[in-house]
Amino acid sequence: MTIARNYKEVPRVEFGFINLLRGPAALLVVYSHFVGQYLDWIHHTYWLKRWVDAVIVTPMAIVGQFGQLGVMVFFLISGFIISHVARSESQGRFAIRRFFRIYPAYWFVLAVVFVLWRVGLPVDATDFDAFRDWRNVAKLVTLTNYILAPQHVALGVAWTLQIELLFYALILLVTPLIRRAPIQAMLAELMLVTLCVATSRELDDNWFLLAANLTYLPYLLIGQVIYFYWAGGMSGRVAMAFGWMCYLVAVYGMWEIHTSFLNPGESRVLCLILALGIFAWALNFGNGWGTTWLARKMSDVSYSLYLIHGPIGLLIIAVLHHRIGYGNAALLALISVLALAFSIHYLVERPAIELGRRCSNLFRVSAWGVHKTGESR
């Protein structure tokens, strides 16, 4: 993909490589739950898992049966694309659009989880008692359940949404710097994350939980560094230096909070290396492929698929596993959640995004000091 070298201009382009990555990243998470982790939970095996473990998972020390790899790719994508968006949208417009991008689809799937609990069919949750207290429900609805003690988890994959929201908040804080001085923006972001991690045990449990979530932000900031280099806001040497700084802050977070991530079997660094290789390849060679119909459609539904596959897919497998066999149950679950993901995208997610665009028209002022160029679809 051609590198933009004039940072004063914000090119309006379709990032085909982002389309190419989103669908497979979501499918990696689906595989980790449907095949890798489900079979481990029930202490069974299957030919596909045996083959994948022998050829890929064990030799390459893949963490979480590809789930963490898929999440890491999503983090890099978010760091890249959100940094681009922040340059051309006012802070009010940015906040409104991100709200409608994240919450409506999440609320819909959370409602599905609640219904499953009410009828006695919980699968993808660890704490359904949270639904019994309105204060806990309020935390679930607002996605603050991961940063307010005690934690209550009703949707297994929602922890990554909290990290996305923290990244959006960080972007809002440094938006003026992102537009005019990306180096200063990176310094401010890394200093803030480092300060929070360093003081994680100095205050209360809520502050510790916030710091624990912030330790993931360096992965998104690496995606931001790649964007700044692509957009012409940093030279190659400066971008490399900031990449290493992000890595060191991530490792610092492991030593201070997530010490289990230092073990080779749980290493997020190995996930990051693999994700960076995939991301770099797609950035350089995948833009054309990402403009195909299939890549675009899978990109469109990736968020809904990410949300719904656990509650519904794992339920289908658990109910049908011993009736039609694991392989048939897993295939039926995959087909079902793909169909549901398309439905949620067109009936919930897409209308919400359009509503967000209309509401954000109140904040149509473009970023100061930059000019938009080119066309977008």
Side-chain angles (χ1 to χ4, degrees):
M1 188 174 187
T2 303
I3 295 178
R5 301 312 303 170
N6 185 1
Y7 196 72
K8 293 182 178 180
E9 296 181 348
V10 183
R12 300 182 64 182
V13 297
E14 178 185 7
F15 292 107
F17 81 99
I18 297 292
N19 293 338
L20 183 64
L21 289 174
R22 279 181 175 145
L27 289 174
L28 286 176
V29 178
V30 172
Y31 174 89
S32 75
H33 292 149
F34 283 13
V35 181
Q37 294 180 12
Y38 177 80
L39 290 174
D40 287 342
W41 291 338
I42 64 173
H43 305 292
H44 284 192
T45 188
Y46 188 67
W47 68 266
L48 177 62
K49 184 178 186 300
R50 289 195 299 269
W51 184 86
V52 173
D53 284 356
V55 177
I56 303 176
V57 173
T58 301
M60 301 183 70
I62 301 294
V63 177
Q65 294 286 332
F66 295 102
Q68 292 298 326
L69 177 59
V71 167
M72 195 69 72
V73 171
F74 274 129
F75 284 165
L76 293 175
I77 290 172
S78 184
F80 186 98
I81 197 66
I82 294 301
S83 301
H84 177 74
V85 169
R87 292 178 62 204
S88 58
E89 293 182 352
S90 69
Q91 287 159 296
R93 196 175 195 181
F94 177 90
I96 289 174
R97 290 192 172 191
R98 301 293 81 72
F99 176 89
F100 282 96
R101 182 69 179 89
I102 291 290
Y103 278 106
Y106 166 71
W107 287 337
F108 179 85
V109 176
L110 188 63
V112 171
V113 173
F114 175 78
V115 170
L116 292 177
W117 168 67
R118 292 298 296 174
V119 299
L121 294 172
V123 176
D124 184 41
T126 57
D127 189 2
F128 279 88
D129 286 338
F131 288 118
R132 303 181 187 277
D133 188 323
W134 69 268
R135 290 165 296 187
N136 293 330
V137 171
K139 291 196 295 184
L140 292 174
V141 169
T142 57
L143 277 169
T144 56
N145 55 306
Y146 291 96
I147 60 174
L148 295 178
Q151 284 188 332
H152 296 280
V153 179
L155 183 61
V157 298
W159 67 274
T160 62
L161 305 186
Q162 175 60 66
I163 293 167
E164 289 285 341
L165 292 175
L166 291 173
F167 181 61
Y168 298 162
L170 186 62
I171 290 290
L172 285 172
L173 286 175
V174 300
T175 293
L177 292 177
I178 288 176
R179 294 169 179 170
R180 299 186 185 86
I183 291 177
Q184 287 86 334
M186 288 298 310
L187 287 172
E189 291 167 331
L190 288 171
M191 288 176 62
L192 180 59
V193 172
T194 303
L195 178 62
C196 291
V197 173
T199 60
S200 61
R201 302 180 191 278
E202 300 299 322
L203 300 176
D204 58 9
D205 291 342
N206 294 334
W207 183 254
F208 178 81
L209 290 176
L210 174 63
N213 280 273
L214 288 174
T215 60
Y216 289 91
L217 291 193
Y219 307 124
L220 290 87
L221 293 177
I222 290 175
Q224 186 177 75
V225 169
I226 296 172
Y227 172 76
F228 285 152
Y229 171 69
W230 174 87
M234 288 182 180
S235 66
R237 290 183 179 179
V238 172
M240 184 65 70
F242 272 110
W244 280 107
M245 290 171 65
C246 292
Y247 166 78
L248 291 175
V249 173
V251 171
Y252 177 59
M254 296 178 198
W255 281 104
E256 287 293 319
I257 298 177
H258 299 292
T259 55
S260 64
F261 294 171
L262 296 169
N263 300 325
E266 294 291 330
S267 175
R268 297 307 187 267
V269 173
L270 292 177
C271 282
L272 176 62
I273 293 171
L274 288 172
L276 277 172
I278 294 169
F279 193 87
W281 175 87
L283 176 62
N284 286 281
F285 304 108
N287 201 53
W289 292 1
T291 59
T292 61
W293 178 87
L294 180 60
R296 283 175 172 166
K297 291 300 180 183
M298 288 302 299
S299 176
D300 287 344
V301 304
S302 60
Y303 180 51
S304 294
L305 177 62
Y306 182 75
L307 292 176
I308 198 64
H309 80 275
I312 298 300
L314 290 176
L315 174 61
I316 291 173
I317 296 174
V319 171
L320 298 181
H321 176 188
H322 297 290
R323 300 181 183 182
I324 62 175
Y326 165 75
N328 292 329
L331 179 59
L332 181 60
L334 177 61
I335 295 171
S336 299
V337 296
L338 282 171
L340 282 171
F342 274 93
S343 299
I344 295 170
H345 172 72
Y346 284 104
L347 298 177
V348 179
E349 188 180 356
R350 196 165 175 175
I353 292 172
E354 181 59 30
L355 179 60
R357 287 173 178 167
R358 292 181 181 180
C359 293
S360 69
N361 285 338
L362 296 171
F363 303 87
R364 295 182 66 90
V365 178
S366 298
W368 298 338
V370 297
H371 305 280
K372 299 177 183 177
T373 63
E375 299 293 334
S376 63
R377 67 182 181 94

